[in-house]
Structures are given as C-alpha cells and as structure tokens.
Amino acid sequence: MYFGKSYSRYISYNGLNIYSKSLVEIPAPQYYVFYNGTDKADDRTILNLSDAFKVPVTEGTFEWTAIMLNINYGKNKELMDKCRPLQEYSIFIKTIREYTEQGMVIEDAVNRAIEDCIQNGVLAKYLISHKSEVIEMCITEYNEEETMAAIAAEAHAEGKAEGKAEGKVELLIQLVKNDVLSVSEAAKMMNMSENIFADLL
C-alpha cells in the first residue's frame, strides 16, 4: 500500500500520463525494513510478499521483495559503521532496554537513557531538541509492545483451555456412546443441559 501511494504521488508530481500508449518510466524501487524488535533476527533477511499468499503460486504472480535489516545494537556492524545516526539510535534503544531490565518503569528508563545519551554525545542534538516527542514515542511503542505480548499470552491460554474443554467433551461423548455414562451424568460434568449435550452425540 505504501509502495502504491508513493508511485501515485510520483506520477502526479511529475505530471506523467499513465494512459499514454508509450512506456511511462518510473524509478526502480528499493524497499527496506529496519528491525529493532526483541525477537532473534539475522542481520539481513529477505521478505517476499508471496510468502503471505494463501495458495502458493509459481508463475504469473505479482512478487514484492523487501530487505529487512536488523538495527539492534551489535548487529549489521558494517552498516552501523557507515551510518553514525543509525548506530547511535541502536545505542539509545539498547540503553532504554537495559534500564527496563533493571526494573525501571518505562518512563524513568526513557528519561534516564536520554540523559545518558546526551551526556555521551549519542543523538545529543536531536534528543535535546525533541526530548518530549522522543519520550512520548518510546513510551507509546513500549506500551503497544507490552499490550500485544499480553494479548498473545492471553489468547494462548484461552486456546489451551478451549482445547482441554473440547478434549473433555469428546471423551464424555465416547463414554456415553459406550454406555459407561448416561447423557444426564455427562451433561452435568460439562455444566450444560441434557438436550444440548444430546445434540453433540
């Protein structure tokens, strides 16, 4: 979607006629994703849109490729050596994580990391000029990450509970069919009416 919007703006800005009979030349795209999450990731990963297709296709299909670069501290050394701002950003994020791992609440961790980085000349000018925006951004991203992790854990727990319940129902159905339990006894064990349980048979 981002790619389509970018080309749309380019075509509009340059007054290109996409309905022309002649070929309309456009810039070749290079799509990069900077990754600084906490999951393990290689320095460089190729992401293909076709990996998301529900039904795999081998020909006549649209493909889109992105290069994901891991910008966590200690990763992609060659890239970091060539791009000082990116290297300093990775140091800043690493510092925040170190403070949160020590038990600091995110607000205190971000403030402390900003102070440290300014003192050590890491993103100093930017952090001084945009301190409040950086704090807000970091706290928002951290809270979103925490929320998503909590939702995932809850969904996993619910899934396990549902799986156990389904397994229990299947076992009780078999016991009723084998005349080990009555419908009434099985329904009572599942906290449901006899009619509802009977419908499962």
Side-chain angles (χ1 to χ4, degrees):
M1 290 183 285
Y2 174 80
F3 163 72
K5 288 175 183 176
S6 296
Y7 268 163
S8 182
R9 284 195 298 269
Y10 177 86
I11 289 165
S12 176
Y13 180 79
N14 290 281
L16 301 179
N17 179 12
I18 59 173
Y19 302 105
S20 170
K21 289 183 178 180
S22 57
L23 180 67
V24 176
E25 294 184 337
I26 54 177
Q30 286 189 309
Y31 197 78
Y32 290 89
V33 176
F34 286 157
Y35 176 77
N36 74 333
T38 54
D39 290 339
K40 188 176 180 181
D42 294 333
D43 282 9
R44 181 185 177 98
T45 306
I46 303 297
L47 305 174
N48 295 310
L49 181 66
S50 60
D51 291 339
F53 293 166
K54 288 183 178 180
V55 179
V57 285
T58 55
E59 58 183 57
T61 182
F62 175 79
E63 181 63 282
W64 179 251
T65 303
I67 299 170
M68 185 177 81
L69 300 173
N70 190 341
I71 59 167
N72 280 301
Y73 184 78
K75 296 291 184 178
N76 270 308
K77 188 176 185 307
E78 186 178 347
L79 172 65
M80 296 299 183
D81 288 343
K82 291 179 180 178
C83 184
R84 181 67 185 171
L86 203 56
Q87 184 182 59
E88 293 182 3
Y89 173 76
S90 72
I91 293 170
F92 174 59
I93 297 300
K94 176 181 79 86
T95 308
I96 293 174
R97 286 178 179 155
E98 286 174 348
Y99 283 130
T100 58
E101 286 167 7
Q102 291 173 20
M104 281 191 183
V105 296
I106 185 61
E107 291 87 348
D108 293 340
V110 172
N111 275 298
R112 183 72 179 274
I114 288 174
E115 290 173 11
D116 287 1
C117 287
I118 289 173
Q119 196 171 21
N120 294 315
V122 174
L123 291 178
K125 288 183 180 179
Y126 185 83
L127 292 175
I128 291 169
S129 302
H130 304 279
K131 184 176 180 179
S132 60
E133 296 98 316
V134 171
I135 292 171
E136 185 178 348
M137 179 196 72
C138 290
I139 291 172
T140 300
E141 285 190 2
Y142 183 85
N143 288 341
E144 285 178 354
E145 190 176 319
E146 289 282 289
T147 301
M148 291 306 293
I151 290 171
E154 187 177 321
H156 180 68
E158 286 177 0
K160 285 178 72 176
E162 286 175 10
K164 286 181 180 176
E166 287 175 10
K168 186 177 179 182
V169 169
E170 288 173 9
L171 175 61
L172 291 174
I173 288 171
Q174 279 303 122
L175 291 174
V176 170
K177 286 181 175 179
N178 294 332
D179 294 323
V180 176
L181 289 175
S182 68
V183 171
S184 175
E185 290 170 327
K188 188 178 286 186
M189 292 175 75
M190 287 304 300
N191 292 318
M192 61 175 66
S193 72
E194 290 183 32
N195 290 337
I196 292 175
F197 190 88
D199 287 340
L200 299 175
L201 297 173

